[in-house]
Amino acid sequence: MYRASDRVEHEQWLSEIETVADRLGLGTQARSHAVDLFLSALPDQERSKRATMATSIYVGALVAGQERSQTAVAEATDVSRLTIQQRWKDVLERAGLDAPSW
């Protein structure tokens, strides 16, 4: 879980999530999931925040039923597809959700 102050402290990243969500055509539910996942999985290192943001967007869209490819999210967030591929299941499971069986 995250603190309300995390929203203020990480406003720049939350704004970027909205920008990327616009690019990907994601709805309100996917955006909300992405924000919650990002704030719940905040890394200590600044350099890891972009990867966490990208992964949170991918998982948020997946959970909301608005699935986007790892490649599309990677291109929209300027990270490698491999970064998302390596992290998405951990973010999903840390949120208490089960990974799809496909």
Side-chain angles (χ1 to χ4, degrees):
M1 201 63 182
Y2 58 90
R3 303 174 313 230
S5 63
D6 289 337
R7 284 186 166 275
V8 174
E9 185 178 339
H10 296 85
E11 180 58 37
Q12 170 193 353
W13 290 104
L14 302 183
S15 177
E16 191 159 351
I17 288 172
E18 289 297 325
T19 300
V20 171
D22 284 343
R23 271 188 238 147
L24 294 170
L26 296 176
T28 305
Q29 188 176 18
R31 293 167 191 248
S32 179
H33 287 310
V35 166
D36 287 343
L37 290 164
F38 175 75
L39 292 173
S40 296
L42 274 171
D44 292 332
Q45 298 86 10
E46 191 68 27
R47 66 184 183 154
S48 297
K49 289 182 181 173
R50 178 158 300 282
T52 302
M53 178 196 67
T55 305
S56 297
I57 292 169
Y58 174 75
V59 172
L62 181 68
V63 169
Q66 298 176 25
E67 189 174 334
R68 299 298 187 268
S69 70
Q70 291 175 0
T71 301
V73 175
E75 289 174 357
T77 56
D78 198 27
V79 301
S80 72
R81 184 192 61 77
L82 184 60
T83 296
I84 295 171
Q85 181 182 6
Q86 290 174 336
R87 295 173 180 237
W88 75 273
K89 286 183 183 178
D90 289 339
V91 169
L92 189 68
E93 290 170 358
R94 196 174 317 138
L97 303 168
D98 294 326
S101 59
W102 34 256

